[in-house]
Structures are given as structure tokens and as C-alpha cells.
Amino acid sequence: MYEASDFYKQAKTKFEEKHPDLMIEIKEYAAEGGSEEGKLEKYVQTTNTQLLSGKGADLIDLDVSGLQVGKYVNKNALVNLNEFMNNDKSFDSNHYYMNIFEHVKMNGGLYALPTRFFLDTLAGDSGGIKKAGVQIDDKDWTWSQFAKAGKLLNSKEGRYAMGNTPPEQMLGYLVADNYSTLVDTSKRKADFLSPFFTDLLKQVKTMYDDKVITAGTVNVGDAYFYPSLLISPEDYFTGPAQFFEQGKVYSKPHVNGQKSGVSFQGNKSIAMNANSKVKPEAWEFIKFLLSEDVQAQPRLQGFSVNKSVNEKILGELAAKGSAATYSGTEVPVSAEGIQALKQMIAGANIYITDDGKIQSIIAEEAKAYFSGQKSADDVAKLIQNRVTTYINE
């Protein structure tokens, strides 16, 4: 791993206490000398080289941008952990959010297992939207419906739906939600020449032309929506309260023709080396990382993939009846809110993939389209060529 967090350090200690015949050795690249950027680059290069040449550690922490998981899968360098789950009678899938595991699969297999996850949502001004007389149903809404509602809201109140967001950044959000439609790193293919991508470009541009979104500065609470990454159950209640008096968490819209649902990001993802000589023992450690004993550590970011850990936190919030913001303000926690959050977790099915290199290529080239210098087709060709080169390096 790049850097050993308390999550892994404590898990190592507890695991070795339970299994005195086994020892976990943590190889930590951040501890070596050099600049932060240089160390990160070295970690990525070393891990890529080792795995693709049949070497490397038994387990690999994947929470560093640049690790080419698709290539590892294509080269059969990682273990399909579904096989262990299915063959291990002690692994009870009812204890976990299997929808999370299901929707991070690549090529039908579970090669990168998230031990935690974030929910990617929008914080919205439900009071302001209701006052403007605009109806929004976020259970199955598209970006086209978002744009239509935003245009109507702007015409009535003069407020943008979203602000502080350059168009290339907005495009990046949509690409991340639809990454698997545009990029298949395991097969080394990109599909930016498709009408799907050029339509994304045009849709984003239209939202700026229609004053739905602006790249300009908008003060806190002056836009109707803000991107909101929920990194804890408490965030569901405290997040919107930081922007609005009557705030609400909304599911993100989806692109026309794509599936609806709830977007999420994996966190603390781990993979098993196909060339490991101790696969059964490595699986035991992965199972231990998923256990309540490890997942219940205090101050961990994200939602646990272990149901009982989240249920306990939600039960405590319900009993208290409030959650504290970073400033210490108490926000009410309702039974309806608890239920809505549970449904959102159970409905998480859109896995966000965010390859930093590919996103930077898209952002760099897309600026020429949004400024009117190049056509959508020309920009798509440039992105297609650069991304294809990158994923085939």
C-alpha cells in the first residue's frame, strides 16, 4: 500500500492476535524518501510493474489514482473474490451490502473489493424549490429533467441550479458516472467517438447557455443544488443543513438511456494477487477487514459494507434524535430520514470510476469545445486518441 492508515494498522494487530500462526507484513511506500509526488509515482509504477510481471504482494491497496486495475484484470493478475465468497461457508452474504460488491465488478468478477463506500449525491434547497412551485422527483430523474427544472427555477427566481462549476468539471461528473460506457481498460478500448459522448458535451454546454449552471462564483446557499459526497451516515442529515434552512439529499440524475439509481464511490478497496502463494490466508484477512471488529473502528470515513455497523450508527442517531454539524450545531434526525437513507444505501448501483489521468485529458480537450474553438466531433477525436494511447501504454 502507499500509506498505512490506522484502519490497516489496527486490523493487522487484531488479526495477528486472533491468528498467532500468521503475520501480516505491510509494505509502505510513503515511508520512503523523496517528494510526495515522486513517491506516489513510484508506488504506481512499482505496483503496475510487479503485478503485470507476476510478482508483488499478496494483497494490494487500490486507493491510489493511476493503478491500472483494468489491465490487471485483463492480464489475469488478480483473483476473482466472488469465488472465495461462494465457496466459503463461513461467509454470510446477508451480513453485507452485496449491491455494492455486485456493481464494482469488472468482466463479471469481483477483483477490487471496497471495504467502505461513499454516496455521491446532491444537497438541494427543498424549501426554495417548493416555494418556486417546481416539482422534482429524484427517484428516476435524468440530467435533461434537471436542466428543465433548473431553467424554470432560474426564470422564476434568477437563481442558478448549480454554481462554482466550470463546464469541463461538470462533464467530468457525467463521465465518472458513465465511465464503463466510455472506457474499458481491461479490453483497452475507449468509445469517445460515440454519439453518447458528443451528446454529453452538447448537453453540458446547453445547461450553461440556459443559465442552469454557471462557472461563476455563487455564495453558499444561493444555488439550488450542490454536489454532496456523503462520507458518513451523519452527513445525510448535516450536509444539506450547511447550505439551506430546509435542505434535502437528492439522488444524482442519470443520463438519458442509462440506468437510474444511487451513485457511490468505493473506498479502502483491496485486491488479491493471482500469484499469491497464501490465497486462503489472504482471504481470511480480507474477511477480517469486513468484520464488525474492524469496521466499527471510530472516525472511519465512509459507510461500512457491513450492515450491522451502519445499523448500529443509525440506531444511535435515531435514539439521540439529532446529528452535529462540524460547527457543533445539532440537526434533527427523523425516522423518515433514517428510512430514506437506508433505501438510498440499498439502492446504490452506479459505481463511480474516476481515473485522474483520463479525467485530466477530457478536461484539457473539452475546454476548446466549451469556448467555441472546436466542434464536439473534433474534441471527441482528440480525447479518443489520447485516452486510447494512455490505456494501451
Side-chain angles (χ1 to χ4, degrees), residues 165-172 204-205 208 214-215 366-367 370-371:
T165 309
E168 62 271 15
Q169 183 179 348
M170 186 66 202
L171 177 64
V204 169
K205 187 175 186 301
Y208 286 81
T214 178
K367 287 179 182 179
F370 295 125
S371 65

Side-chain angles (χ1 to χ4, degrees), residues 23-325:
M23 182 183 73
I24 304 295
E25 180 185 359
I26 295 177
K27 175 65 174 177
E28 188 177 13
Y29 283 79
E32 299 181 6
S35 67
E36 188 72 15
E37 183 178 352
K39 287 188 291 185
L40 273 168
E41 186 177 345
K42 180 182 178 183
Y43 173 71
V44 170
Q45 290 177 346
T46 301
T47 305
N48 286 343
T49 301
Q50 289 179 341
L51 281 174
L52 295 175
S53 62
K55 302 176 182 178
D58 301 291
L59 296 171
I60 306 96
D61 171 41
L62 298 175
D63 277 5
V64 172
S65 180
L67 294 177
Q68 299 166 332
V69 181
K71 288 185 181 179
Y72 308 157
V73 173
N74 184 50
K75 294 290 187 179
N76 298 315
L78 301 179
V79 172
N80 180 1
L81 297 175
N82 266 138
E83 296 175 3
F84 278 95
M85 288 183 177
N86 295 335
N87 295 326
D88 187 343
K89 293 181 180 179
S90 71
F91 182 84
D92 187 348
S93 61
N94 293 313
H95 292 167
Y96 309 98
Y97 296 109
M98 295 304 292
N99 57 304
I100 298 297
F101 297 149
E102 178 65 27
H103 289 99
V104 300
K105 286 182 177 180
M106 297 180 69
N107 291 3
L110 179 60
Y111 299 96
L113 185 148
T115 59
R116 312 281 295 182
F117 64 96
F118 304 141
L119 295 178
D120 198 23
T121 69
L122 296 177
D125 183 4
S126 61
I129 293 167
K130 184 177 180 180
K131 181 182 176 183
V134 176
Q135 298 294 320
I136 289 177
D137 180 5
D138 67 323
K139 294 296 186 292
D140 186 27
W141 67 331
T142 65
W143 282 108
S144 294
Q145 292 169 325
F146 173 90
K148 184 177 179 180
K151 188 175 181 180
L152 183 58
L153 287 166
N154 186 274
S155 69
K156 289 191 173 190
E157 302 290 336
R159 288 172 64 185
Y160 286 100
M162 287 176 61
N164 312 311
T165 309
E168 62 271 15
Q169 183 179 348
M170 186 66 202
L171 177 64
Y173 293 153
L174 301 189
V175 168
D177 278 351
N178 298 277
Y179 185 85
S180 61
T181 302
L182 295 165
V183 182
D184 186 341
T185 51
S186 66
K187 296 180 180 177
R188 302 189 181 190
K189 291 183 178 179
D191 196 22
F192 290 94
L193 296 179
S194 63
F196 178 80
F197 180 67
T198 52
D199 285 347
L200 283 188
L201 282 167
K202 293 170 185 177
Q203 185 173 28
V204 169
K205 187 175 186 301
T206 298
M207 285 194 283
Y208 286 81
D209 292 342
D210 289 346
K211 298 183 178 179
V212 175
I213 308 175
T214 178
T217 301
V218 175
N219 294 328
V220 172
D222 285 348
Y224 283 102
F225 295 97
Y226 293 87
S228 179
L229 188 67
L230 306 185
I231 62 172
S232 72
E234 293 88 345
D235 271 0
Y236 181 86
F237 304 96
T238 61
Q242 297 180 69
F243 301 107
F244 312 108
E245 288 185 12
Q246 297 180 52
K248 174 187 171 183
V249 171
Y250 291 81
S251 294
K252 282 172 59 179
H254 60 93
V255 175
N256 290 351
Q258 300 299 299
K259 66 181 179 182
S260 61
V262 179
S263 299
F264 73 95
Q265 293 181 16
N267 183 243
K268 289 185 168 55
S269 296
I270 194 164
M272 186 190 299
N273 193 331
N275 288 291
S276 170
K277 301 296 191 293
V278 287
K279 290 187 182 73
E281 292 81 2
W283 169 243
E284 286 301 317
F285 184 63
I286 290 177
K287 273 199 307 183
F288 188 64
L289 292 176
L290 302 179
S291 70
E292 188 172 350
D293 197 14
V294 175
Q295 291 284 319
Q297 289 181 33
R299 296 181 297 280
L300 284 179
Q301 283 193 342
F303 292 78
S304 173
V305 294
N306 188 310
K307 291 180 179 179
S308 64
V309 175
N310 285 333
E311 290 290 342
K312 183 178 180 181
I313 293 173
L314 291 174
E316 292 170 351
L317 286 172
K320 184 181 178 183
S322 65
T325 65

Side-chain angles (χ1 to χ4, degrees), residues 329-357:
T329 303
E330 292 291 330
V331 177
V333 170
S334 65
E336 292 80 9
I338 294 282
Q339 187 58 33
L341 176 55
K342 287 182 178 180
Q343 291 175 352
M344 186 169 274
I345 293 171
N349 65 337
I350 301 174
Y351 177 50
I352 295 174
T353 305
D354 193 5
D355 185 306
K357 177 64 175 178

